[in-house]
């Protein structure tokens, strides 16, 4: 005990630890912004590589699916080979995958590179969090460090939209991927010089069957949604993919009850409040990720916004999420039950989405789009903060890592499913509208635009319905009381899988 405490004090006495925080936060920022930076570049990449409307969602989905599906495994790998080593490996792999994506000459090459980015992000993110917890062991310093880390990670989406717009407009869409290379190089050298490794866990083992079953099931379902666009929802292949995906996920749950070291210990999701939080997060993000895709295309293709203007147009949404999380939810959560925030938050976000169903080819940003973005941002902020706080409250120390990772997994998986599902709904509805209304060849351009916007609005109706379902789930399943009125619970510091 004395040796451990002395080691911790010596590490905290290291004056370079705050520079180490900069390196850790820089790596996490790169991972977070990569989920949005490519959104702005997507119309340009689609045109350059000849990607179909039905397949464009794979640029987003390949990343989020690999990231979310392998996040739990990434924590186990860090336990086996050491957090600092895993952190460096994740950085190097992420940079290499980014360079490959930037050099892509075909759609398949870009999709594969994005999937590789997700794989290495799943290795990098848990290691970053773990290094943060071992670098800052003093409670006061740890709180400050996590505050800085959270602020940088939370601003990643906004930075991604702005940087994506600048790079796409003034350089090329490929630089939205190339930009990760110099960031990763700086982070690698900084990690080697400034970060301390933590001891590995000799008993840690990889649940390879769990990875294959869980990821296989998710990929089959997402691929089924994607194939429904060209083939139709009743096509035998589409139905086979859905059945296979569900069967694999059911088998995954069965295997987790028997695996020596399961990826997801089932007692984590048996608790009603945590299960409700995981499901609420997944449903809420389904709508949001699809919306990012549609609004990017609507602003650039329909309203002819430049990439920079498109990135700036998303800023009110990000600002509203931050305000909803830090200024409203964080202040009220000690006084009200989590579902009192999460349910109305979902309703507010759904109302914002319903406002966007009125979009036309001539809509105004100030009157038709901005109010909706602000409502959605405030609503999502009221959901995100209580979900993270409630899901991790009262968790045993040995389960804090896997619980935090499961929240992030539900977020990424929800984004994957939402992007694939809503993109298929949008493209199918657009095609049907254009076929029904294209009676005069001279009006082809206008009818095509109207059809595209019609597809977006149909998909946004779906997103609004799913967001309302998230509110219902939160209201019915999350029964935890406000911390001041219920059993005192201690929220553990998030860590990667232990």
């Amino acid at each position: 005990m004395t040796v451990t405490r002395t080691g911790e004090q010596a590490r905290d006495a290291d004056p370079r630890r705050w520079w180490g925080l900069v390196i850790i936060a820089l790596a996490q920022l790169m991972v977070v912004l990569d989920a949005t930076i490519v959104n702005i570049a997507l119309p340009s990449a689609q045109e350059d590589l000849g990607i179909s409307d039905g397949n464009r969602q794979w640029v987003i989905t390949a990343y989020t699916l690999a990231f979310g599906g392998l996040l739990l495994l990434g924590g186990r790998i860090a336990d086996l080979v050491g957090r600092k080593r895993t952190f460096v490996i994740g950085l190097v792999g992420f940079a290499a995958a980014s360079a490959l994506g930037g050099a892509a000459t075909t759609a398949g090459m870009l999709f594969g590179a994005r999937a590789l980015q997700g794989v290495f992000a799943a290795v990098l993110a848990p290691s970053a969090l773990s290094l943060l917890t071992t670098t800052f062991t003093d409670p006061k310093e740890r709180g400050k460090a996590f505050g800085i880390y959270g602020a940088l990670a939370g601003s990643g989406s906004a930075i991604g939209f702005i940087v994506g717009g600048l790079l796409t407009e003034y350089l090329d869409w490929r630089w939205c991927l190339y930009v990760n290379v110099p960031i990763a190089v700086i982070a690698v050298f900084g990690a080697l010089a400034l970060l301390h490794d933590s001891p590995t866990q000799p008993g840690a083992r990889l649940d390879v069957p769990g990875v294959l079953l869980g990821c296989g099931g998710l990929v089959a379902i997402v691929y089924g949604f994607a194939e429904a666009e060209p083939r139709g929802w009743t096509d035998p292949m589409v139905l086979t993919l859905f059945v296979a995906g569900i069967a694999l996920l059911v088998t995954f749950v069965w295997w987790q009850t028997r695996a020596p070291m399961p990826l997801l210990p089932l007692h984590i999701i048996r608790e009603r409040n945590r299960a409700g939080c995981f499901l609420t997060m997944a449903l809420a993000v389904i709508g949001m990720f699809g919306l990012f895709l549609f609004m990017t295309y609507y602003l650039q293709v329909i309203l002819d916004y430049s990439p920079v203007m498109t990135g700036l147009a998303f800023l009110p949404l990000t600002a509203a999420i931050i305000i909803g999380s830090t200024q409203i939810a964080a202040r009220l959560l000690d006084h009200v039950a989590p579902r009192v925030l999460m349910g109305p938050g979902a309703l507010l976000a759904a109302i914002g989405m319903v406002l966007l169903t009125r979009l036309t080819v001539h809509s105004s940003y100030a009157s038709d789009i901005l109010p909706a973005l602000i409502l959605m941002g405030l609503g999502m902020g009221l959901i995100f903060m209580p979900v993270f706080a409630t899901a991790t409250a009262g968790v045993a120390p040995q389960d804090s890592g896997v619980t935090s990772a499961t929240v992030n997994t539900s977020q990424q998986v929800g984004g994957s499913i939402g992007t694939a599902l809503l993109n298929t709904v949008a493209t199918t509805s657009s095609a049907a509208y254009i076929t029904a209304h294209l009676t005069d060849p001279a009006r082809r351009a206008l009818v095509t635009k109207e059809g595209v916007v019609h597809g977006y609005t149909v998909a946004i109706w779906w997103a609004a319905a799913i967001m309302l379902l998230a509110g219902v789930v939160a209201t019915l399943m999350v029964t935890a009381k406000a911390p001041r009125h219920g059993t005192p619970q201690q929220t553990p510091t998030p860590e990667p899988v232990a």
Side-chain angles (χ1 to χ4, degrees):
M1 180 67 72
T2 303
V3 174
T4 302
R5 185 174 296 153
T6 302
E8 291 177 351
Q9 290 171 346
R11 185 175 298 163
D12 276 348
D14 184 355
R16 302 180 303 168
R17 63 190 181 281
W18 293 104
W19 285 108
L21 170 62
V22 172
I23 297 301
I24 294 169
L26 186 66
Q28 180 65 14
L29 179 65
M30 180 179 68
V31 169
V32 172
L33 68 82
D34 238 67
T36 56
I37 190 173
V38 177
N39 267 283
I40 304 298
L42 192 48
S44 300
Q46 181 180 2
E47 182 179 358
D48 193 15
L49 299 180
I51 303 172
S52 69
D53 285 346
N55 285 333
R56 66 189 175 194
Q57 53 89 16
W58 283 109
V59 178
I60 309 299
T61 304
Y63 179 78
T64 56
L65 189 59
F67 189 8
L70 297 174
L71 193 58
L72 293 168
L73 178 67
R76 292 289 189 208
I77 293 174
D79 289 340
L80 278 173
V81 303
R83 276 68 184 268
K84 179 178 176 179
R85 187 180 303 171
T86 308
F87 184 77
V88 172
I89 291 172
L91 285 169
V92 172
F94 198 91
S98 299
L100 180 65
T105 55
T106 64
M109 187 174 173
L110 179 59
F111 299 158
R114 289 288 285 167
L116 273 179
Q117 279 186 309
V119 169
F120 286 106
V123 172
L124 181 59
S127 303
L129 267 176
S130 182
L131 286 168
L132 190 61
T133 60
T134 55
T135 300
F136 295 91
T137 54
D138 178 79
K140 290 184 179 179
E141 285 199 344
R142 178 179 289 195
K144 184 178 179 180
F146 266 92
I148 296 170
Y149 176 86
L152 288 173
S155 61
S157 59
I159 296 172
F161 286 128
I162 298 301
V163 173
L166 289 170
L167 293 174
T168 302
E169 185 163 343
Y170 295 111
L171 290 174
D172 185 74
W173 68 266
R174 298 177 184 276
W175 278 96
C176 291
L177 294 162
Y178 285 143
V179 71
N180 293 318
V181 177
I183 296 174
V185 169
I186 293 171
V188 166
F189 283 108
L192 294 174
L194 299 169
L195 298 179
H196 302 278
D197 213 342
S198 55
T200 60
Q201 294 186 7
R205 296 164 62 182
L206 298 182
D207 180 15
V208 176
V211 174
L212 296 176
L213 291 168
C215 288
L218 292 173
V219 169
I221 290 174
V222 171
Y223 190 52
F225 284 134
E227 286 298 302
E229 188 267 331
R231 296 174 178 271
W233 292 98
T234 58
D235 181 82
M237 180 179 175
V238 173
L239 295 177
T240 300
L241 285 169
F242 286 145
V243 171
I246 293 171
L248 286 170
L249 292 179
V250 169
T251 308
F252 168 78
V253 172
W254 169 83
W255 170 250
Q256 295 306 284
T257 65
R258 289 159 175 78
M261 291 195 70
L263 274 182
L264 179 60
L266 294 185
H267 69 267
I268 296 293
I269 59 175
R270 287 196 186 106
E271 203 276 324
R272 177 172 180 160
N273 289 303
R274 280 196 290 274
C277 286
F278 298 150
L279 187 54
T280 299
M281 175 63 84
L283 290 170
V285 173
I286 283 176
M288 288 303 294
F289 267 65
L291 197 71
F292 283 157
L293 181 67
F294 303 139
M295 290 309 301
T296 297
Y297 274 86
Y298 178 79
L299 292 170
Q300 291 193 51
V301 177
I302 304 300
L303 297 187
D304 293 322
Y305 277 31
S306 68
V308 171
M309 287 300 297
T310 301
L312 291 172
F314 277 107
L315 280 186
L317 173 68
T318 304
I321 291 176
I322 294 173
I323 291 171
S325 295
T326 62
Q327 301 303 312
I328 301 176
R331 294 174 184 271
L332 293 178
L333 188 59
D334 280 347
H335 306 281
V336 300
R339 63 179 174 180
V340 174
L341 298 172
M342 295 160 64
L347 178 61
L348 205 60
I351 291 172
M353 290 178 177
V354 170
L355 292 179
L356 288 178
T357 62
R358 305 178 303 162
L359 290 177
T360 68
V361 293
H362 304 296
S363 290
S364 163
Y365 177 81
S367 60
D368 299 319
I369 299 173
L370 181 60
L373 293 181
I374 292 173
L375 286 176
M376 286 187 295
L378 290 174
M380 292 303 292
L382 291 177
I383 295 173
F384 284 156
M385 190 273 171
V387 162
F388 278 102
T390 306
T392 56
V395 178
Q398 66 269 23
D399 291 330
S400 63
V402 72
T403 303
S404 299
T406 305
V407 178
N408 288 314
T409 298
S410 64
Q411 189 174 4
Q412 298 297 330
V413 170
S416 304
I417 293 174
T419 304
L421 169 63
L422 296 180
N423 185 69
T424 293
V425 170
T427 51
T428 303
S429 301
S430 294
Y433 181 95
I434 293 170
T435 301
H437 291 79
L438 189 57
T439 55
D440 182 1
R443 298 183 67 248
R444 174 179 293 275
L446 178 60
V447 170
T448 300
K449 273 194 171 185
E450 290 175 344
V452 169
V453 175
H454 172 76
Y456 294 163
T457 58
V458 171
I460 292 171
W461 274 114
W462 278 64
I466 295 170
M467 186 65 72
L468 284 176
L469 180 59
V472 171
V473 168
T475 302
L476 296 180
M477 290 188 66
V478 183
T479 58
K481 296 179 181 180
R484 288 191 179 182
H485 304 289
T487 304
Q489 292 179 323
Q490 184 179 7
T491 303
T493 303
E495 298 175 5
V497 182

